[in-house]
Amino acid sequence: MIGQVQKPLEEILEYLEGKKKIVIIGCGGCATVFHTGGEPEVKEMANTLTREGKEVLAAIAPPFGEFTCYAPWSKKRLSKYRKEIEECDAILMLSCGDGLQTVREFVLEKEYNLTKPIYPGTNPMGHMGGGPTLFKEKCQQCGECELGRVAGICPLTQCAKGLLNGPCGGSQNGKCEVDPEKDCAWILIYERLKKLGELDKLRKPRDPHDWSKVKRPRQLEVSPLEIE
Ligand code: SF4
Ligand code: SF4
């Protein structure tokens, strides 16, 4: 999921300065889980903006499970609000940057041929796993997963230096030398490999990590899903 927090209201109001008619769009995916763009947050933002003198033409909160970053869902949901979207002075997105840019490119530009100001209402914090309350960053989407040789613990993400070929040697009592509050990822990897009886994996020569897969922007093509 994309961890995220709401932007300060002052920043949002700064974006919306001089814009009267606003459409708010939330997200039924990560933004609902992180309480930045689910139904309660969309309603609350609509009330706040109304108090600030804005005219909220539509406050759109997709149901839980409906990701705004999936263009077919956004196209379908937003089609009911096309008039409001065309009439508004600005759109405020209570979603992550994926959601905002999906709506901008696939709905506004490609579907409606519309150039409209669209602003973020959240600060995305990266991919995180866990819940229901505590989430942790676990993966940087490097494009070539190493978890099969490191006991399911990502050294790129969990090691403060992102070391892929063993520890730096600075660990003290199992803690990281960069942040003594955190466990050394390589000690965790070693201990888990030991329990699994797979310590020999650390001795095997390996090809260098393929950093070319990190080159941005990345894109993928898949066959489309059937949606109702
Ligand atoms: S190695 Fe780490 S960053 Fe790369 S894909 Fe696997 S979990 Fe993600
Ligand atoms: S002490 Fe461990 S986690 Fe910290 S930087 Fe060194 S190898 Fe990485």
Side-chain angles (χ1 to χ4, degrees), residues 15-128:
Y15 289 135
L16 300 180
E17 205 178 318
K19 318 272 193 250
K20 175 79 177 164
K21 297 176 184 171
I22 312 296
V23 166
I24 303 168
I25 302 174
C27 170
C30 312
T32 293
V33 173
F34 287 93
H35 305 292
T36 52
E39 198 180 344
E41 296 78 33
V42 168
K43 273 189 189 156
E44 196 180 321
M45 183 58 73
N47 290 338
T48 304
L49 293 187
T50 304
R51 279 198 302 275
E52 293 291 333
K54 308 289 181 193
E55 188 184 337
V56 177
L57 300 189
I60 307 160
F64 186 48
E66 196 178 291
F67 290 76
T68 298
C69 58
Y70 188 51
W73 268 332
S74 278
K75 280 184 199 171
K76 191 166 175 238
R77 179 143 308 272
L78 298 180
S79 64
K80 298 171 201 153
Y81 301 94
R82 182 161 179 169
K83 186 171 163 283
E84 288 85 350
I85 289 172
E86 284 179 340
E87 275 179 11
C88 75
D89 300 318
I91 297 169
L92 177 66
M93 291 298 302
L94 299 185
S95 73
C96 73
D98 279 338
L100 185 152
Q101 293 181 83
T102 297
V103 169
R104 175 188 57 71
E105 179 179 345
F106 292 92
V107 183
L108 302 184
E109 292 169 5
K110 293 198 168 140
E111 190 90 341
Y112 301 172
N113 192 23
L114 190 65
T115 304
K116 183 75 63 178
I118 181 165
Y119 300 113
T122 77
N123 284 328
M125 311 288 283
H127 284 254
M128 293 181 175

Side-chain angles (χ1 to χ4, degrees), residues 1 33-35 128-138:
M1 313 202 81
V33 173
F34 287 93
H35 305 292
M128 293 181 175
T133 53
L134 178 65
F135 289 80
K136 292 182 172 181
E137 186 181 19
K138 294 289 182 196

Side-chain angles (χ1 to χ4, degrees), residues 179-222:
D179 181 354
E181 297 291 307
K182 302 221 169 90
D183 293 327
C184 166
W186 274 101
I187 302 273
L188 296 177
I189 291 169
Y190 177 88
E191 293 298 343
R192 194 148 194 277
L193 282 174
K194 197 167 153 188
K195 275 190 199 160
L196 293 167
E198 294 182 354
L199 273 179
D200 56 316
K201 285 193 172 169
L202 292 178
R203 293 191 195 94
K204 279 192 189 143
R206 54 168 304 237
D207 292 333
H209 187 79
D210 184 0
W211 291 105
S212 71
K213 292 177 181 168
V214 182
K215 215 168 97 192
R216 290 194 156 87
R218 294 183 278 190
Q219 65 178 47
L220 291 173
E221 272 205 51
V222 297

Side-chain angles (χ1 to χ4, degrees), residues 138-148 150 152-158 164 209 211:
K138 294 289 182 196
C139 172
Q140 298 175 23
Q141 295 78 46
C142 72
E144 186 172 76
C145 194
E146 302 278 353
L147 290 177
V150 286
I153 298 168
C154 174
L156 268 179
T157 313
Q158 305 305 316
L164 281 172
H209 187 79
W211 291 105

